[in-house]
Amino acid sequence: MARGCAGAVRQRNQQEWGAGVASALILYGLLGFAISLPAPLLLLAEASYVIYLTHLLLISVALRVFGKMTGASPFGSFWMTSVVFVAVVAAGCLIHLWLERPFQRQQKKWLAT
């Protein structure tokens, strides 16, 4: 009984700690403090919406490509799933760099005039 209670208390403390960290980060952002991120993480943060919008299409394309290349489902193994994940994120980042950023720059020019 004591072990079960100790495990429940430990789990609850971990959940509270996680909620505290999340709350601190939200408060940090709301107060306007700047967080400096490494360039790859900053790119992922900027491309996250494009990745969200395109991931289903990109996954279906990756499934067809890998299916034709290997003759098997890419989700049959951990490694192939990892390759599909990395390919989808990389493609989303490229779409962000080649389409979204230039469009955003042009949009700023249009709105400034």
mmCIF file of all heavy atoms in Angstrom, residues 34-54:
data_model
loop_
_atom_site.group_PDB
_atom_site.id
_atom_site.type_symbol
_atom_site.label_atom_id
_atom_site.label_comp_id
_atom_site.label_asym_id
_atom_site.label_seq_id
_atom_site.Cartn_x
_atom_site.Cartn_y
_atom_site.Cartn_z
ATOM 1 N N ALA A 34 12.569 37.952 -24.617
ATOM 2 C CA ALA A 34 13.031 37.294 -25.833
ATOM 3 C C ALA A 34 13.791 36.027 -25.455
ATOM 4 O O ALA A 34 14.623 36.034 -24.558
ATOM 5 C CB ALA A 34 13.930 38.220 -26.630
ATOM 6 N N ILE A 35 13.484 34.971 -26.162
ATOM 7 C CA ILE A 35 14.195 33.711 -25.979
ATOM 8 C C ILE A 35 15.054 33.516 -27.224
ATOM 9 O O ILE A 35 14.537 33.508 -28.336
ATOM 10 C CB ILE A 35 13.226 32.528 -25.821
ATOM 11 C CG1 ILE A 35 12.343 32.713 -24.600
ATOM 12 C CG2 ILE A 35 13.982 31.216 -25.742
ATOM 13 C CD1 ILE A 35 11.257 31.664 -24.473
ATOM 14 N N SER A 36 16.343 33.391 -27.044
ATOM 15 C CA SER A 36 17.197 33.163 -28.205
ATOM 16 C C SER A 36 17.314 31.656 -28.432
ATOM 17 O O SER A 36 17.713 30.916 -27.548
ATOM 18 C CB SER A 36 18.572 33.790 -27.999
ATOM 19 O OG SER A 36 19.222 33.185 -26.915
ATOM 20 N N LEU A 37 16.921 31.256 -29.615
ATOM 21 C CA LEU A 37 16.959 29.845 -29.988
ATOM 22 C C LEU A 37 18.072 29.615 -30.990
ATOM 23 O O LEU A 37 18.389 30.505 -31.793
ATOM 24 C CB LEU A 37 15.627 29.425 -30.622
ATOM 25 C CG LEU A 37 14.392 29.454 -29.745
ATOM 26 C CD1 LEU A 37 13.157 29.161 -30.579
ATOM 27 C CD2 LEU A 37 14.509 28.450 -28.629
ATOM 28 N N PRO A 38 18.643 28.427 -30.998
ATOM 29 C CA PRO A 38 19.593 28.089 -32.061
ATOM 30 C C PRO A 38 18.892 28.149 -33.427
ATOM 31 O O PRO A 38 17.680 27.951 -33.521
ATOM 32 C CB PRO A 38 20.024 26.661 -31.736
ATOM 33 C CG PRO A 38 19.659 26.453 -30.302
ATOM 34 C CD PRO A 38 18.513 27.358 -30.012
ATOM 35 N N ALA A 39 19.643 28.427 -34.458
ATOM 36 C CA ALA A 39 19.075 28.620 -35.798
ATOM 37 C C ALA A 39 18.192 27.453 -36.264
ATOM 38 O O ALA A 39 17.111 27.690 -36.807
ATOM 39 C CB ALA A 39 20.184 28.890 -36.799
ATOM 40 N N PRO A 40 18.588 26.177 -36.084
ATOM 41 C CA PRO A 40 17.709 25.096 -36.540
ATOM 42 C C PRO A 40 16.363 25.074 -35.805
ATOM 43 O O PRO A 40 15.319 24.832 -36.419
ATOM 44 C CB PRO A 40 18.500 23.821 -36.246
ATOM 45 C CG PRO A 40 19.923 24.245 -36.182
ATOM 46 C CD PRO A 40 19.891 25.646 -35.650
ATOM 47 N N LEU A 41 16.376 25.354 -34.505
ATOM 48 C CA LEU A 41 15.109 25.384 -33.763
ATOM 49 C C LEU A 41 14.260 26.573 -34.169
ATOM 50 O O LEU A 41 13.039 26.481 -34.222
ATOM 51 C CB LEU A 41 15.379 25.406 -32.258
ATOM 52 C CG LEU A 41 15.875 24.110 -31.647
ATOM 53 C CD1 LEU A 41 16.085 24.285 -30.139
ATOM 54 C CD2 LEU A 41 14.903 22.980 -31.902
ATOM 55 N N LEU A 42 14.898 27.699 -34.460
ATOM 56 C CA LEU A 42 14.166 28.866 -34.915
ATOM 57 C C LEU A 42 13.511 28.594 -36.269
ATOM 58 O O LEU A 42 12.358 28.965 -36.491
ATOM 59 C CB LEU A 42 15.101 30.073 -35.005
ATOM 60 C CG LEU A 42 14.451 31.398 -35.319
ATOM 61 C CD1 LEU A 42 13.422 31.770 -34.259
ATOM 62 C CD2 LEU A 42 15.503 32.489 -35.434
ATOM 63 N N LEU A 43 14.226 27.909 -37.157
ATOM 64 C CA LEU A 43 13.644 27.542 -38.448
ATOM 65 C C LEU A 43 12.447 26.617 -38.256
ATOM 66 O O LEU A 43 11.410 26.793 -38.899
ATOM 67 C CB LEU A 43 14.695 26.869 -39.333
ATOM 68 C CG LEU A 43 14.182 26.340 -40.675
ATOM 69 C CD1 LEU A 43 13.657 27.475 -41.542
ATOM 70 C CD2 LEU A 43 15.267 25.575 -41.391
ATOM 71 N N LEU A 44 12.569 25.631 -37.371
ATOM 72 C CA LEU A 44 11.440 24.740 -37.099
ATOM 73 C C LEU A 44 10.255 25.506 -36.524
ATOM 74 O O LEU A 44 9.109 25.242 -36.880
ATOM 75 C CB LEU A 44 11.854 23.630 -36.134
ATOM 76 C CG LEU A 44 12.614 22.467 -36.725
ATOM 77 C CD1 LEU A 44 13.032 21.502 -35.622
ATOM 78 C CD2 LEU A 44 11.805 21.749 -37.773
ATOM 79 N N ALA A 45 10.536 26.461 -35.651
ATOM 80 C CA ALA A 45 9.450 27.259 -35.069
ATOM 81 C C ALA A 45 8.761 28.087 -36.138
ATOM 82 O O ALA A 45 7.524 28.169 -36.175
ATOM 83 C CB ALA A 45 10.005 28.153 -33.969
ATOM 84 N N GLU A 46 9.535 28.687 -37.033
ATOM 85 C CA GLU A 46 8.948 29.506 -38.094
ATOM 86 C C GLU A 46 8.190 28.653 -39.115
ATOM 87 O O GLU A 46 7.199 29.094 -39.672
ATOM 88 C CB GLU A 46 10.034 30.311 -38.798
ATOM 89 C CG GLU A 46 10.640 31.394 -37.941
ATOM 90 C CD GLU A 46 11.793 32.093 -38.623
ATOM 91 O OE1 GLU A 46 12.253 31.633 -39.693
ATOM 92 O OE2 GLU A 46 12.255 33.111 -38.069
ATOM 93 N N ALA A 47 8.663 27.441 -39.363
ATOM 94 C CA ALA A 47 8.048 26.573 -40.366
ATOM 95 C C ALA A 47 6.948 25.694 -39.797
ATOM 96 O O ALA A 47 6.319 24.943 -40.532
ATOM 97 C CB ALA A 47 9.124 25.695 -41.009
ATOM 98 N N SER A 48 6.687 25.782 -38.519
ATOM 99 C CA SER A 48 5.757 24.851 -37.879
ATOM 100 C C SER A 48 4.352 24.906 -38.489
ATOM 101 O O SER A 48 3.698 23.875 -38.644
ATOM 102 C CB SER A 48 5.688 25.096 -36.375
ATOM 103 O OG SER A 48 5.186 26.384 -36.101
ATOM 104 N N TYR A 49 3.875 26.083 -38.858
ATOM 105 C CA TYR A 49 2.528 26.178 -39.422
ATOM 106 C C TYR A 49 2.471 25.537 -40.803
ATOM 107 O O TYR A 49 1.517 24.833 -41.124
ATOM 108 C CB TYR A 49 2.073 27.639 -39.474
ATOM 109 C CG TYR A 49 0.622 27.786 -39.823
ATOM 110 C CD1 TYR A 49 -0.363 27.241 -39.007
ATOM 111 C CD2 TYR A 49 0.224 28.447 -40.973
ATOM 112 C CE1 TYR A 49 -1.705 27.360 -39.326
ATOM 113 C CE2 TYR A 49 -1.110 28.576 -41.297
ATOM 114 C CZ TYR A 49 -2.080 28.040 -40.465
ATOM 115 O OH TYR A 49 -3.402 28.153 -40.796
ATOM 116 N N VAL A 50 3.503 25.743 -41.613
ATOM 117 C CA VAL A 50 3.547 25.105 -42.931
ATOM 118 C C VAL A 50 3.636 23.591 -42.781
ATOM 119 O O VAL A 50 2.978 22.847 -43.514
ATOM 120 C CB VAL A 50 4.735 25.643 -43.764
ATOM 121 C CG1 VAL A 50 4.920 24.842 -45.033
ATOM 122 C CG2 VAL A 50 4.524 27.097 -44.086
ATOM 123 N N ILE A 51 4.434 23.134 -41.829
ATOM 124 C CA ILE A 51 4.542 21.689 -41.582
ATOM 125 C C ILE A 51 3.181 21.143 -41.182
ATOM 126 O O ILE A 51 2.748 20.098 -41.667
ATOM 127 C CB ILE A 51 5.614 21.396 -40.520
ATOM 128 C CG1 ILE A 51 7.001 21.757 -41.047
ATOM 129 C CG2 ILE A 51 5.576 19.931 -40.088
ATOM 130 C CD1 ILE A 51 8.084 21.762 -39.998
ATOM 131 N N TYR A 52 2.485 21.867 -40.320
ATOM 132 C CA TYR A 52 1.140 21.455 -39.890
ATOM 133 C C TYR A 52 0.188 21.389 -41.081
ATOM 134 O O TYR A 52 -0.579 20.431 -41.223
ATOM 135 C CB TYR A 52 0.614 22.426 -38.837
ATOM 136 C CG TYR A 52 -0.858 22.309 -38.589
ATOM 137 C CD1 TYR A 52 -1.386 21.208 -37.932
ATOM 138 C CD2 TYR A 52 -1.730 23.293 -39.031
ATOM 139 C CE1 TYR A 52 -2.752 21.088 -37.720
ATOM 140 C CE2 TYR A 52 -3.086 23.186 -38.826
ATOM 141 C CZ TYR A 52 -3.594 22.083 -38.166
ATOM 142 O OH TYR A 52 -4.932 21.982 -37.969
ATOM 143 N N LEU A 53 0.223 22.382 -41.956
ATOM 144 C CA LEU A 53 -0.706 22.429 -43.079
ATOM 145 C C LEU A 53 -0.415 21.366 -44.137
ATOM 146 O O LEU A 53 -1.332 20.889 -44.804
ATOM 147 C CB LEU A 53 -0.670 23.809 -43.737
ATOM 148 C CG LEU A 53 -1.275 24.958 -42.952
ATOM 149 C CD1 LEU A 53 -1.072 26.264 -43.699
ATOM 150 C CD2 LEU A 53 -2.746 24.719 -42.677
ATOM 151 N N THR A 54 0.855 21.003 -44.302
ATOM 152 C CA THR A 54 1.225 20.123 -45.409
ATOM 153 C C THR A 54 1.561 18.692 -44.999
ATOM 154 O O THR A 54 1.804 17.858 -45.870
ATOM 155 C CB THR A 54 2.448 20.697 -46.156
ATOM 156 O OG1 THR A 54 3.542 20.813 -45.252
ATOM 157 C CG2 THR A 54 2.124 22.049 -46.763
#
